[in-house]
Amino acid sequence: MAITIYPITAQFAAEIGDVDLAHPLDADDVAAIKQAFWDYAVVIFPEQNLTQEQHVAFAKYIGPIEPTIGAYRPDSKLRLPPELVDISNLNVRNEIWGEKSRLRGLQLGNRLWHTDSSFKYLPARASLLYARTIAPVGGHTEFADLRAAYDALDDSLKRKLPGLIAIHALAYSRQRTGFSNFSESERKELPPVPQVMVRTIPENGCKSLYIASHIGRIIGMPDDEALALVDQLIAHATQRQFVYTHRWRLHDLVMWDDRCTMHRGTEYDDLRWTRDMHRATVSDIANTCEQEGVAIPGESQHSREQQ
Ligand code: OGA
Ligand code: MN
């Protein structure tokens, strides 16, 4: 039986039924899932029963897997294999984290509007978050439609933004939450990177904003002006009409297009309830400046290749 698609709105977020992601998919189902993904940007697969391997195997239909930044700390033990990002409130012994734990401080940044891995030179294309244990209250995930938000920009911003290059870093978003406990190896692996602010999604030609709380600077603009512009754009893009709130059910798998959405986790009592979510992340095909054919000032191709 072919997959079924239940749109939540006409252009953003849809549920997909009649597919079991635990098994290899036939080519028609893969093509239909990809088409729905390009159309809606957020797709929800309810009632999936996936092992970690099956979760990763499904993600590979969308593209190559990006390893977790947890692997940048060679000294720390990970609860999950490097192909999965740990979005839980659990420590390596599967206990709820401590109030003052480093992990808790770092993950607090997921409550800010962001798109995954825009702080990497090669950012994420897609994220696939799977709910293994959910909190009984709170702990939703909100998604903002950055294609619709782009379309609704006023003309002066539509003219101004395409030439601009923003600088993203994990340290910039964590600065907003007061977290700065990065190791030497993390600082080295996660330098600030350039990304365009408006991008074109190749599969459908749609234009999208590409913004996140990871932005700390915009090339050629004073920092206070740059941050004011970023905050203005995030406020614009997260108005109610652009946002879908996902209230998790156990064993939902939600896949979103990091190229044209932002998301954030909502509050829950993380010292009381276990919320165990695993994320597989798929890499984009190139840095966004390269994809848009925008030159990065002060960076020759040569210096980038040496990194
Ligand atoms: C993520 C993320 C928010 C949440 O998985 O990338 O930001 O609701 N999650 O857990
Ligand atoms: Mn995220």
Side-chain angles (χ1 to χ4, degrees):
M1 178 174 178
I3 67 164
T4 47
I5 299 174
Y6 296 89
I8 291 168
T9 69
Q11 322 238 320
F12 192 54
E15 290 195 323
I16 300 188
D18 295 299
V19 62
D20 181 354
L21 304 181
H23 299 294
L25 299 173
D26 66 42
D28 287 350
D29 279 351
V30 173
I33 288 169
K34 284 187 176 171
Q35 190 56 52
F37 188 43
W38 313 139
D39 289 345
Y40 293 97
V42 178
V43 289
I44 298 133
F45 300 90
E47 290 200 321
Q48 299 294 327
N49 277 293
L50 302 176
T51 63
Q52 294 180 0
E53 292 74 22
Q54 288 163 339
H55 180 185
V56 172
F58 173 58
K60 285 183 178 164
Y61 284 110
I62 309 299
I65 303 297
E66 172 196 290
T68 177
I69 57 167
Y72 294 163
R73 285 174 79 86
D75 48 322
S76 68
K77 283 212 205 100
L78 297 176
R79 205 173 63 91
L80 304 181
E83 299 80 35
L84 289 171
V85 182
D86 193 349
I87 308 288
S88 74
N89 58 336
L90 301 174
N91 64 23
V92 69
R93 293 181 300 281
N94 274 316
E95 304 153 346
I96 289 186
W97 57 25
E99 187 177 357
K100 302 261 182 289
S101 67
R102 178 182 186 276
L103 266 179
R104 185 176 193 234
L106 183 64
Q107 296 265 30
L108 192 62
N110 281 343
R111 303 254 175 102
L112 303 177
W113 285 106
H114 67 282
T115 187
D116 291 329
S117 299
S118 66
F119 54 82
K120 293 183 179 175
Y121 186 74
L122 180 62
R125 164 190 265 203
S127 298
L128 299 90
L129 190 61
Y130 181 53
R132 292 190 175 275
T133 308
I134 54 174
V137 57
H140 313 306
T141 308
E142 298 184 308
F143 295 92
D145 180 348
L146 297 186
R147 297 182 297 194
Y150 171 83
D151 290 342
L153 286 174
D154 64 39
D155 286 344
S156 69
L157 280 169
K158 273 192 181 148
R159 273 193 305 274
K160 174 176 173 169
L161 295 178
L164 297 178
I165 297 178
I167 306 295
H168 297 234
L170 186 63
Y172 292 149
S173 56
R174 272 37 185 182
Q175 210 172 329
R176 287 178 180 245
T177 61
F179 179 90
S180 59
N181 180 9
F182 291 107
S183 69
E184 209 44 52
S185 58
E186 285 169 321
R187 282 178 209 280
K188 204 168 135 264
E189 299 277 1
L190 297 167
V193 300
Q195 307 287 0
V196 293
M197 298 189 77
V198 174
R199 60 188 303 186
T200 309
I201 307 303
E203 288 79 12
N204 49 27
C206 290
K207 286 203 181 224
S208 179
L209 278 172
Y210 189 60
I211 52 172
S213 301
H214 301 311
I215 300 177
R217 294 191 287 125
I218 294 172
I219 294 181
M221 205 183 273
D223 283 353
D224 52 349
E225 203 180 305
L227 285 178
L229 177 58
V230 171
D231 287 348
Q232 179 197 346
L233 291 172
I234 291 179
H236 164 76
T238 59
Q239 295 174 84
R240 207 62 237 165
Q241 65 270 30
F242 305 130
V243 172
Y244 161 66
T245 300
H246 188 66
R247 292 178 170 76
W248 290 92
R249 295 157 298 193
L250 192 64
H251 298 159
D252 278 346
L253 178 97
V254 177
M255 174 162 78
W256 62 86
D257 191 334
D258 282 296
R259 303 172 303 177
C260 57
T261 63
M262 280 195 293
H263 61 278
R264 68 172 179 186
T266 73
E267 221 174 309
Y268 69 105
D269 190 345
D270 64 309
L271 299 175
R272 180 178 180 195
W273 308 113
T274 295
R275 182 175 186 263
D276 187 9
M277 319 285 276
H278 297 186
R279 194 184 87 206
T281 320
V282 172
S283 294
D284 206 341
I285 52 169
N287 175 270
T288 57
C289 300
E290 291 172 4
Q291 289 192 52
E292 295 295 322
V294 174
I296 305 166
E299 290 203 37
S300 66
Q301 189 59 28
H302 180 65
S303 69
R304 174 56 64 187
E305 277 166 4
Q306 278 183 334
Q307 283 192 1

